[in-house]
Amino acid sequence: MASLDALTRSEPVNAALSWLFASVVVLAAVESVFTAAYLWAGFAFLVAAVTAVPPLLSGDWTMVVPWPLPLVAAAAAAARAVGLYPEIAGYVAVAALALVAVVELDAFTSVEMSRRFAVAFAAMTTLAVQALWTVAQFASDVWLGTDFLTTQRELQVDIVAVTVVAVVMGAAFQWYFARFEHAGSHEHPTVTRSP
Amino acid sequence: MTLGEALGLSDDRERLLARALQAVLAGLVVYGLATLRLGLAANAGIALAVTLLPALLRREYGYSMDAGLVLWIVLAVLLHVVGSLGPYRWFSWYDEITHTVSAAFVAGVGYALLRTFEIHSEEVDVPSEFRAVFVVVFVLAFGVVWEVFEFGAVLVSRLLGVRSPVRIFGIDDIVTDMVFNAFGAAVVAAWGTGYFDGVVGFLIRRTGSANEEGG
C-alpha cells in the first residue's frame, strides 16, 4: 500500500523543512520549561520526539513526515508560546501529533490504512485525546487542587472547539494528501537515497 | 462462550426477553400520552423506534441480527428511558451504568465498521492490537461528538422554548460519562468483539464487496 508511504519519502528538501519546523517546536518546548508550563513543555517535546522516531530508527535523516505536518505543529507551538489563542493552539497541536503518528504508523508498522481512513482516524484520535485530557484535568482539580475546569459552559465550548479543529484539520490534510499524491506520483517519484 | 450462554439464556429466551422489554417501552409511551407527559412519551417513542431497527433490517434486507445483540440494544435504550423517569437524579451511579452499556454497543459498531473497511478495502489492513486501540479511540471520540450533540440539543431546545431531551448535570457528569464510555469500550475491545462479527458479514454484503467470503 503506497497511499501514505509515498508521503514519508526520502527527500532532502522536505526533510530540511521538517527538521526546521521540528526545531521550532523544541524551542517552544524549552521556552515553556522556563515559563514553568511543564505539562505543555512535555507535550511539545513529545511532538518533536515522535517526528524524530523514523529518522532515528532508520538512520536516514531524510526519512521524515511531510513538512506541512511539523509546520502546523510549529505554528501551534509558537502561537502558544506567545499566548495567542493558547487553547485553540493546543488542539491544533494535538491534531498535528495525531496526524504525524498516523502517517508514521502506516509507513513503518504493519498497520495499513487508506488515506481517507488515516485522516478520519487521526481526527478521532484528536477527539479521544480531548476526552482523556478532560478526565486528567478533572482528576487534577479533585486531587491536586488545581483549577483547570471552571464552568460546565466553558468545558462544553472547549469540546465544541476541539471538534471543529479536528474536522478542519482532517479536511485540510485530506485535501493536501490527495493533491500531493496526484502531483507527486509522476513528477516526484519516491526517491531512495543511495548511501 | 457468549454472555447469553454464561447466563443460561437460549436465543429464544433472549428474543422473548427483548420483546418483553419492548412491551415495557410501549407501555411507557402509552402512559406518557395518557398522563400528558409528552417528554416521556417522545423519549420512550424514540427508544422504541430504535429497538425496531433490527426488525426493519430483517424485513428489508433479510438480515437476522444476533438475538443477544438485539437484547443489548433494547436494554441500553430502556435503561436510558427509565433513567429519565428519576433514577438519573436519584442515583449518581445510574448514569454510569447506562453509559457503560451504550458505550459497549458503540464500541461494537466501531469494531464492525473497522472490520468492514478491512475486508472491503485492500488498502486497510491492521493487526489485532490496533483493532483494540481503534475501538477505544472510536468510543472516546464518539463520546466527545455526543457531548457536542447534547450541547447543541440544549441550546436548540432553549431557542425553541421546549424541554431538552437530554440534560447535563455539570462538569463531573461530563467527566464520568467519558470515564465510563472508556470502560465500556475497553470491555468490548478485550472480550466482546465476537458478538459483532455477524454485523460485519451483513455490512460487507450491503456494501457490495468484491470479496466473496464476505457473503
Side-chain angles (χ1 to χ4, degrees), chain B residues 1 39 48-51 55 72 91-92 113 141 180:
Chain B
M1 185 166 80
L48 188 61
V50 169
T51 67
W72 192 263
F91 316 110
S92 61
L113 281 176
F180 283 89

Side-chain angles (χ1 to χ4, degrees), chain A residues 1-3 105-106 110-115 117 121 123-125 127-132 134-135 138 149-153 155-157 159-160 162-163 181, chain B residues 113-114 117 121-127 130 133-134 136-138 140-142 144-145 147-148 150-151 154-155 158 168-172 174-175 178-179 182:
Chain A
M1 204 276 311
S3 68
L105 266 183
D106 181 75
S110 61
V111 177
E112 305 271 295
M113 292 177 268
S114 67
R115 204 173 51 219
F117 183 92
F121 182 62
M124 284 196 279
T125 307
L127 298 184
V129 168
Q130 164 70 11
L132 296 176
T134 305
V135 174
F138 185 77
L149 304 176
T150 47
T151 65
Q152 179 188 318
R153 175 87 186 186
L155 176 58
Q156 288 178 308
V157 171
I159 288 172
V160 172
V162 77
T163 307
E181 202 179 43
Chain B
L113 281 176
L114 173 64
F117 278 125
S121 160
E122 283 169 23
E123 287 182 300
V124 182
D125 182 25
V126 301
F130 180 85
V133 173
F134 178 89
V136 175
V137 166
F138 184 85
L140 286 177
F142 186 88
V144 171
V145 172
E147 292 297 337
V148 173
E150 285 194 336
F151 186 51
V154 171
L155 284 184
R158 199 173 298 155
I168 301 135
F169 298 97
I171 291 174
D172 47 348
I174 296 176
V175 172
M178 287 174 173
V179 170

